[in-house]
């Protein structure tokens, strides 16, 4: 049985079973690690490696998610008694990383652990002209983006409070259950994704764009939409414009997997994934970003009113975890979706040794035939769009600018 709040009652169990979502990542990756985590970009003088290690050494043993390793043969998480900080905290130099995306590419390409240690590390990455990044990295089999956000804040922030809001559980509506069943059924059908149905190269690249959060919120207020709605609508139009530019033809609605956190209060830094995914068809065929926003809002309103998040959580965990995990591997797979499209609000800016981060980026590697993953990470007054893609998508670096262009159109009266 999963310990409900590991570490909050004064002790950590010796082992924890993988949950349904953990096992899904384990199966999808064939036991290989899938790097995931957060990157924080700073200006000003960088801290020393010794000072970063000192903070990690001071705090790591008190954070439950950092005290376990993955025992893949038994499909459990096993507690470790000692953390060797020098093997978990590293330093790198990227003098040509002008926009900060190079640190993300380094986190995606650098080999992870594999020696029985807990599957996490921290990197101090020096960029050009005094800029630097602090990167927290874990294995997605072990932790989701919201859990990684809470863990990174607890480990690195001067005042480690706040972070993404906790999920409040409730009962799903019948419409939510019906929609969840439809999502699961659709995941067993191959779908048409012409912009993304290319042979996988296995090499990953990353590009990004930064915007004020106020712009996204203003568009949302003008149309009764959320920041996530605006993100998805602009992404839909960007993909449509990108495909039209490359092929001269329109793109059909694009299925993506939208992760939704089900991490409750008290489990902010608990090991394991606490998420479900909903299938959303991005209206890439909409004639304008405004039309795309209307269609996205209709879908997300249905998700909320039907409480589909709760329906999915209950359906994937009610039976044997192996069955739920197999269904999960179908719902996030390159045969059925182009990839995840994830939005995370980190909250107030991370402050390390008195220096506030200028931006935060949630990132993850690619697996299970996924060609592209898109994240929007909000921190204080800044949002960063990151497009993580297989290099077979040779012009995917155009997507951030096309997303910004779609956002500009949404701002016009």
């Amino acid at each position: 049985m999963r310990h409900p709040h590991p570490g909050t009652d004064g002790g950590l169990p010796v082992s924890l079973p993988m949950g349904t979502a953990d096992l899904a990542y384990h199966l999808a990756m064939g036991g290989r690690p899938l790097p995931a985590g957060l990157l924080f970009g700073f200006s000003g003088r960088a801290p020393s490696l010794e000072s970063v290690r000192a903070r990690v050494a001071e705090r790591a043993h008190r954070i439950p998610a950092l005290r376990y390793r993955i025992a893949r043969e038994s499909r459990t998480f096993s507690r470790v008694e000692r953390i060797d900080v020098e093997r978990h905290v590293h330093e790198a130099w990227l003098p040509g990383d002008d926009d900060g995306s190079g640190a993300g590419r380094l986190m995606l390409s650098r080999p992870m652990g594999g020696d029985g240690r807990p599957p996490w590390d921290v990197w101090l990455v020096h960029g050009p002209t005094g800029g630097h990044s602090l990167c927290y990295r874990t294995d997605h089999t072990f932790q989701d983006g919201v859990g990684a956000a809470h863990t990174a804040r607890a480990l690195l922030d001067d005042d480690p409070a706040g972070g993404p809001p906790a999920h409040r559980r409730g009962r799903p509506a019948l419409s939510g259950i019906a929609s969840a069943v439809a999502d699961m059924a659709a995941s067993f059908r191959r779908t048409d994704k012409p912009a993304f149905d290319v042979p996988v190269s296995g090499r990953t690249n990353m590009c990004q764009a930064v915007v004020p959060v106020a712009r996204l919120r203003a568009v949302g207020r003008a149309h009764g939409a959320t920041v996530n709605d605006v993100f998805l609508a602009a992404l839909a139009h960007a993909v449509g414009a990108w495909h039209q530019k490359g092929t001269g033809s329109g793109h059909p609605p694009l299925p993506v997997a939208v992760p939704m956190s089900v991490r409750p209060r008290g489990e902010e830094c608990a090991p394991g994934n606490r998420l479900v995914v909903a299938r959303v068809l991005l209206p890439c065929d909409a004639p304008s970003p405004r039309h795309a926003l209307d269609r996205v809002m209709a879908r997300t309103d249905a998700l909320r009113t039907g409480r589909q998040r709760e329906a999915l959580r209950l359906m994937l965990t009610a039976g044997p975890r192996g069955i739920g995990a197999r269904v999960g591997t179908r719902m996030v797979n390159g045969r059925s979706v182009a990839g995840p499209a994830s939005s995370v609000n980190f909250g107030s800016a991370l402050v390390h040794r008195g220096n506030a981060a200028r931006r935060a980026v949630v990132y993850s590697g690619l697996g299970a035939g996924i060609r592209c993953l898109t994240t929007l990470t909000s921190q204080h007054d800044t949002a960063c769009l990151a497009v993580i893609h297989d290099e077979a998508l040779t012009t995917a670096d155009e997507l951030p600018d096309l997303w910004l262009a779609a956002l500009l159109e949404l701002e016009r009266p």
Side-chain angles (χ1 to χ4, degrees):
M1 172 179 278
R2 178 177 289 280
H3 195 283
H5 307 294
T8 60
D9 60 357
L12 294 175
V14 174
S15 66
L16 293 166
M18 286 186 183
T20 301
D22 311 327
L23 184 55
Y25 278 108
H26 172 72
L27 294 174
M29 294 302 297
R32 300 183 305 277
L34 180 65
L38 278 93
L39 181 153
F40 302 93
F42 296 83
S43 56
R45 185 176 179 180
S48 67
L49 178 63
E50 289 72 21
S51 73
V52 177
R53 282 179 170 164
R55 173 155 293 182
V56 171
E58 173 192 358
R59 297 185 179 180
H61 69 283
R62 299 197 300 264
I63 301 173
L66 306 182
R67 293 287 308 280
Y68 287 86
R69 67 179 185 87
I70 301 175
R72 297 188 185 274
E73 65 285 350
S74 59
R75 297 181 176 181
T76 62
F77 303 139
S78 298
R79 189 186 69 203
V80 299
E81 301 305 323
R82 181 176 177 272
I83 296 173
D84 185 348
V85 170
E86 290 194 2
R87 299 178 68 192
H88 286 274
V89 184
H90 312 284
E91 191 171 27
W93 284 261
L94 295 173
D97 185 21
D98 294 328
D99 66 355
S101 60
R105 289 191 290 272
L106 178 67
M107 294 301 98
L108 293 167
S109 62
R110 192 84 179 190
M112 290 189 68
D115 54 3
R117 285 181 290 135
W120 62 270
D121 50 28
V122 171
W123 287 78
L124 169 61
V125 181
H126 300 268
T129 62
H132 61 281
S133 300
L134 284 174
C135 309
Y136 169 73
R137 189 173 68 153
T138 186
D139 184 340
H140 217 324
T141 297
F142 188 74
Q143 199 170 40
D144 57 66
V146 169
H150 283 293
T151 300
R153 190 182 287 279
L155 187 62
L156 299 171
D157 205 325
D158 288 356
D159 183 16
H167 171 63
R168 295 182 178 180
R169 293 178 177 174
R171 292 183 178 180
L174 288 176
S175 61
I177 295 172
S179 185
V181 171
D183 279 6
M184 291 181 183
S187 70
F188 285 84
R189 299 191 298 269
R190 186 177 182 87
T191 51
D192 188 23
K193 308 176 295 298
F196 298 91
D197 286 338
V198 298
V200 175
S201 75
R203 299 181 301 276
T204 306
N205 211 332
M206 178 177 175
C207 50
Q208 61 189 38
V210 177
V211 296
V213 172
R215 290 182 61 187
L216 301 170
R217 290 176 177 160
V219 171
R221 283 194 302 270
H223 300 283
T226 66
V227 166
N228 187 56
D229 293 337
V230 175
F231 157 56
L232 293 175
L235 180 61
H237 192 75
V239 170
W242 175 56
H243 188 65
Q244 180 77 34
K245 178 181 176 182
T247 66
S249 59
H251 198 286
L254 182 71
V256 296
V258 175
M260 298 183 293
S261 175
V262 293
R263 187 173 290 270
R265 186 175 302 279
E267 296 189 25
E268 287 84 355
C269 295
N273 286 266
R274 309 286 197 276
L275 59 80
V276 295
V277 295
R279 180 185 174 91
V280 172
L281 290 176
L282 295 184
C284 303
D285 56 341
S288 71
R290 188 74 55 86
H291 287 88
L293 182 58
D294 290 340
R295 287 166 60 180
V296 166
M297 289 171 58
R299 172 60 170 140
T300 58
D301 284 347
L303 288 174
R304 285 188 290 271
T305 57
R307 297 190 289 278
Q308 187 173 333
R309 183 185 317 219
E310 280 301 295
L312 286 163
R313 182 184 68 82
L314 291 172
M315 292 172 69
L316 291 175
T317 59
R321 63 172 179 166
I323 295 175
R326 292 289 180 185
V327 173
T329 63
R330 300 293 309 205
M331 295 184 73
V332 188
N333 188 287
R335 291 186 299 272
S336 59
V337 294
S342 177
S343 177
V344 175
N345 182 0
F346 184 74
S348 59
L350 184 135
V351 180
H352 185 82
R353 305 293 185 187
N355 192 2
R358 294 180 292 110
R359 71 182 187 282
V361 183
V362 170
Y363 64 88
S364 172
L366 305 176
I370 296 296
R371 275 75 162 179
C372 186
L373 177 152
T374 311
T375 67
L376 182 77
T377 313
S378 303
Q379 179 201 247
H380 183 45
D381 58 359
T382 301
C384 186
L385 174 85
V387 179
I388 300 155
H389 63 91
D390 190 283
E391 287 186 358
L393 301 175
T394 55
T395 60
D397 59 352
E398 298 174 3
L399 283 170
D401 284 343
L402 291 169
W403 185 84
L404 291 173
L407 177 62
L408 186 62
E409 286 193 48
L410 286 169
E411 290 175 314
R412 290 173 180 157

